[in-house]
Amino acid sequence: MRDLPLTLLRALAAVYETGGIRPAGRLLGIQHSVVSRALRDLEAWLEVPLFENRDGQRALIFSAEGVALSKAALDAMKNLEASVLVTREGSSANSVTIATTPSFAMRWLLPRLPGLTETHPKIEVSILVDQARKSPMATGADLNIRMGAQPSQDVDPIPLMDERVFPVMSPGLWEKLGKPSETDDLLDMPLLHDRDPSTSWGIWRKHVGPERLDVRKGPRLTSSDLILRAAEQGQGVALARGRLIEESVASGSLLRPFGDVELDLGTNYWIIANPETGRRRVVQNVVGWLLSEAQNVCDEAPTAISGEEQDQTA
Amino acid sequence: MRDLPLTLLRALAAVYETGGIRPAGRLLGIQHSVVSRALRDLEAWLEVPLFENRDGQRALIFSAEGVALSKAALDAMKNLEASVLVTREGSSANSVTIATTPSFAMRWLLPRLPGLTETHPKIEVSILVDQARKSPMATGADLNIRMGAQPSQDVDPIPLMDERVFPVMSPGLWEKLGKPSETDDLLDMPLLHDRDPSTSWGIWRKHVGPERLDVRKGPRLTSSDLILRAAEQGQGVALARGRLIEESVASGSLLRPFGDVELDLGTNYWIIANPETGRRRVVQNVVGWLLSEAQNVCDEAPTAISGEEQDQTA
DNA sequence: CGGTTTCGGTCTATCAAAGTCACCATGCGT
DNA sequence: ACGCATGGTGACTTTGATAGACCGAAACCG
């Protein structure tokens, strides 16, 4: 611990994140020469080459060790960053920090936040977006919302809501492709792929078909949110989580070419409360609100919307 | 990321780990004054108090935020440290890094390592001890050995071996207590408790009894290894994992007061291979060796020991 | 009670690490 | 050919981490 060259590792993390030395310098707000020197010093200190072509003039290539260490360094930096944020914002008695994935935060949580402010005006919510590469509570957030099958480990998760997936595409692309309406038409469509295994075309093909579907063709993006954006821009068909695209379907930026054909994932969203802070009153209030929000949309109940907004929607 | 005061956070982590400013200074190999200033600067930068009694002269008390941030900082430092170690040692083609818990490394893996060196002389094994607070492969180790129920998440674990737990104690304590032999005698014994839920007396009472057993009395130690050491020193009865105390029972430093009464946990040790490096030949060799070692002791076969050592044991 | 050791806080001066700046060669689009 | 991106390098500057000495307070011990 005492000898860890933290600044050098930070530089490495920045290089890994941005993919270059000058961009890393910009990210860190320092000169690129410092980053360059940092990499050299780090390699000298480790006595292990982190790059393949350190001498060449063109874009650098990470070695296997370089990738591994960079990932770890970036991870550590992100963790620290998140923890610092939580420490800063979580000091108030009425503040609740929720950690979740970018896509869920963007597509489900953020649109509903105003409702929480109305119900509990005093609660200050901080949303912490992470990649869930750490164990659930490592960030120190009060609540953690995770997607996927039940996390079996030590924690006991609260089921938030179920999920189903189905293909979606932009209206523009739909018309361009001749308004397809049968799942067999997927064969001729550009597919958009996700890293999330529960929204993989392989599962869809297995349960719905068509069997001849080639699940390898098409671009493979790293974030569900990116996938949906690509779909909205008409770049292809995405297998979407129903919960995350309610708004896009309602506003017409995405449509379901195959009607109600969908694949049920069962309960797929879980709340994991921080064992240390999760029992606080405010936190429990937020949990209750989350559960009620999930209910509202799960069972129809468009009439269950609180009165104020009806003027605008009407 | 660019503004993270890494050295200050490292100082905080050291203070958290050692419990004091001067000790932290010793740990880091710097003056205590530096640590003191670091804490002050960090609090000023965060605008959040990390300690209750920063002005007082006596041992400092962490605030809630202080504990949370310190944990995160220490965690990040440990991760970085481990990754650096892996990067340094893992650069050879014949090196395999195994990450596991302190107790498993100490009680099962280390004693068997010489055998691996005999079977595969060229393989260089590095053992990385961690606390598993991170997601399985965050350290970059080639193999990860975990205890507990099957880790359901994205990874697909290889079952290593099963486990059973039973009470053990030192021969000295056993005689002192009048050589008890019935599980009901547990009522009058000092119990040693573990953080590991699968070796908690609560589970034992539920499946074996006695029902009146008070599972709260007795010291609560943080590491399985500590528990076993305490038991060997006659400080009480520990609920031990059978796999980890074979040597102690064989050498007579621990005994099983209740004979064969035990609680089966089923498959409880898992190997998780690093998806990036786990397919390397050497790594697969080590996996094979681990599995065969687990077999050797699982089904009797004391005769399966390779010949050399029989002289000494006879 | 005084002696000793430990604790943490604070101050100043110092020195190396981290950073700025300027310049170079290279490759890639136009 | 030109502009603009990429990295690499060397000389200079600044700032932050650090050593070292000193202080007061508390605990321990005879």
Side-chain angles (χ1 to χ4, degrees):
Chain A
M1 175 144 125
R2 49 182 294 181
D3 298 324
L4 279 180
L6 295 174
T7 33
L8 304 190
L9 289 169
R10 165 166 54 186
L12 179 67
V15 170
Y16 182 72
E17 192 172 43
T18 60
I21 288 188
R22 280 189 122 99
R26 282 193 291 272
L27 175 68
L28 298 176
I30 60 180
Q31 296 298 115
H32 79 282
S33 59
V34 181
V35 181
S36 176
R37 252 174 46 88
L39 297 186
R40 180 157 41 85
D41 293 350
L42 189 56
E43 281 186 317
W45 183 76
L46 285 171
E47 300 171 353
V48 171
L50 299 174
F51 301 92
E52 303 289 358
N53 60 339
R54 201 65 186 43
D55 45 348
Q57 313 292 359
R58 213 55 200 151
L60 26 169
I61 304 169
F62 283 84
S63 72
E65 293 87 11
V67 171
L69 185 60
S70 303
K71 272 185 183 168
L74 182 57
D75 217 57
M77 297 302 153
K78 292 285 181 196
N79 281 0
L80 282 176
E81 213 168 10
S83 297
V84 165
L85 205 72
V86 170
T87 307
R88 276 203 151 122
E89 306 206 336
S91 52
S92 150
N94 283 322
S95 90
V96 176
T97 311
I98 306 176
T100 188
T101 60
S103 48
F104 187 81
M106 183 78 76
R107 301 262 167 185
W108 196 92
L109 198 50
L110 274 180
R112 286 169 174 75
L113 267 192
L116 175 61
T117 315
E118 285 180 18
T119 322
H120 305 280
K122 286 191 173 177
I123 296 183
E124 308 159 13
V125 177
S126 303
I127 296 185
L128 189 63
V129 166
D130 64 11
Q131 292 294 347
R133 16 188 184 192
K134 38 190 165 278
S135 71
M137 299 323 303
T139 57
D142 301 307
L143 296 174
N144 214 298
I145 304 182
R146 290 287 158 235
M147 307 190 297
Q150 174 167 7
S152 75
Q153 301 289 50
D154 15 49
V155 294
D156 59 335
I158 306 166
L160 175 58
M161 55 188 185
D162 57 358
E163 183 56 295
R164 60 220 175 281
V165 296
F166 44 80
V168 294
M169 59 202 301
S170 74
L173 181 63
W174 184 61
E175 293 193 14
K176 189 172 153 194
L177 292 177
K179 302 189 177 180
S181 62
E182 301 299 324
T183 53
D184 280 353
D185 296 328
L186 280 172
L187 295 171
D188 304 320
M189 297 181 185
L191 303 184
L192 298 171
H193 298 274
D194 196 345
R195 199 182 42 171
D196 178 0
S198 61
T199 59
S200 86
W201 285 103
I203 294 183
W204 175 266
R205 179 180 62 181
K206 184 174 162 193
H207 289 95
V208 182
E211 283 188 18
R212 287 160 40 229
L213 187 65
D214 181 359
V215 297
R216 286 166 309 181
K217 74 174 179 183
R220 196 165 295 274
L221 307 182
T222 46
S223 139
S224 299
D225 195 44
L226 277 182
I227 303 275
L228 295 177
R229 270 182 213 287
E232 285 168 351
Q233 289 169 15
Q235 297 184 25
V237 192
L239 193 56
R241 290 173 162 265
R243 298 293 192 173
L244 304 188
I245 56 152
E246 282 158 3
E247 288 208 328
S248 297
V249 169
S251 72
S253 56
L254 285 177
L255 61 78
R256 302 176 57 171
F258 312 132
D260 291 340
V261 180
E262 62 188 26
L263 178 57
D264 191 4
L265 297 179
T267 303
N268 201 259
Y269 295 89
W270 307 85
I271 306 174
I272 304 169
N274 186 323
E276 293 176 18
T277 66
R279 307 199 65 87
R280 284 164 52 207
R281 183 66 168 276
V282 269
V283 177
Q284 287 305 315
N285 283 342
V286 174
V287 170
W289 173 78
L290 284 169
L291 292 173
S292 72
E293 280 294 321
Q295 285 289 334
N296 265 354
V297 203
C298 173
D299 325 323
E300 47 179 355
T303 59
I305 305 173
S306 53
E308 301 94 27
E309 293 196 2
Q310 289 190 345
D311 308 340
Q312 299 174 1
T313 55
Chain B
M1 176 143 124
R2 49 183 294 180
D3 298 325
L4 278 181
L6 294 174
T7 34
L8 305 190
L9 289 169
R10 164 166 56 186
L12 179 67
V15 170
Y16 182 72
E17 192 173 42
T18 60
I21 287 188
R22 277 182 195 264
R26 282 193 290 273
L27 174 68
L28 297 176
I30 59 178
Q31 295 298 111
H32 81 281
S33 60
V34 181
V35 181
S36 176
R37 242 175 57 85
L39 297 187
R40 179 156 40 85
D41 292 351
L42 188 56
E43 281 185 316
W45 183 75
L46 286 170
E47 300 170 353
V48 171
L50 298 173
F51 302 92
E52 303 289 357
N53 60 338
R54 201 64 181 57
D55 44 348
Q57 311 292 0
R58 215 53 200 156
L60 29 171
I61 303 169
F62 282 85
S63 70
E65 293 87 12
V67 172
L69 186 60
S70 303
K71 272 184 182 167
L74 183 56
D75 217 57
M77 297 301 154
K78 293 285 181 195
N79 281 0
L80 282 176
E81 213 168 10
S83 298
V84 165
L85 205 72
V86 170
T87 308
R88 275 205 153 120
E89 306 205 336
S91 53
S92 149
N94 282 322
S95 91
V96 177
T97 311
I98 306 175
T100 187
T101 61
S103 47
F104 187 80
M106 182 79 76
R107 302 258 167 188
W108 196 91
L109 198 49
L110 274 181
R112 286 170 173 75
L113 267 193
L116 175 62
T117 316
E118 286 179 17
T119 323
H120 303 282
K122 287 192 171 176
I123 297 183
E124 309 158 13
V125 176
S126 304
I127 297 184
L128 188 64
V129 166
D130 65 10
Q131 293 294 347
R133 16 189 183 192
K134 39 190 165 278
S135 72
M137 300 321 304
T139 57
D142 300 308
L143 297 174
N144 214 299
I145 304 182
R146 290 288 158 235
M147 307 190 295
Q150 175 167 8
S152 75
Q153 300 290 51
D154 16 46
V155 294
D156 59 335
I158 307 166
L160 176 57
M161 55 189 183
D162 56 358
E163 183 55 295
R164 60 220 175 279
V165 297
F166 44 80
V168 293
M169 59 201 304
S170 74
L173 180 64
W174 184 60
E175 293 192 14
K176 190 172 153 197
L177 291 178
K179 303 189 176 181
S181 63
E182 301 297 326
T183 53
D184 280 354
D185 295 328
L186 279 173
L187 294 171
D188 303 321
M189 297 181 185
L191 303 184
L192 298 171
H193 298 274
D194 195 346
R195 199 182 42 171
D196 179 358
S198 61
T199 59
S200 85
W201 286 103
I203 294 184
W204 175 267
R205 179 180 62 180
K206 185 175 164 193
H207 289 95
V208 183
E211 282 188 21
R212 286 159 42 226
L213 187 64
D214 181 359
V215 297
R216 284 165 311 181
K217 74 174 180 185
R220 197 166 295 274
L221 306 182
T222 47
S223 139
S224 299
D225 196 44
L226 278 182
I227 303 274
L228 296 177
R229 271 182 213 286
E232 285 168 354
Q233 290 168 14
Q235 296 184 26
V237 192
L239 193 56
R241 291 172 161 265
R243 298 293 191 174
L244 304 187
I245 55 152
E246 281 157 4
E247 289 208 329
S248 297
V249 170
S251 72
S253 57
L254 284 177
L255 61 78
R256 303 176 56 169
F258 312 132
D260 290 341
V261 180
E262 62 187 26
L263 178 56
D264 191 4
L265 298 180
T267 303
N268 200 260
Y269 295 89
W270 306 86
I271 305 175
I272 304 169
N274 187 324
E276 292 176 19
T277 67
R279 307 198 67 87
R280 283 164 53 207
R281 183 67 168 274
V282 269
V283 177
Q284 288 303 317
N285 283 341
V286 174
V287 170
W289 173 78
L290 285 169
L291 292 173
S292 73
E293 280 294 320
Q295 285 289 334
N296 265 353
V297 204
C298 173
D299 324 325
E300 51 186 347
T303 59
I305 304 173
S306 54
E308 304 95 282
E309 294 197 1
Q310 290 189 345
D311 310 338
Q312 300 174 359
T313 56

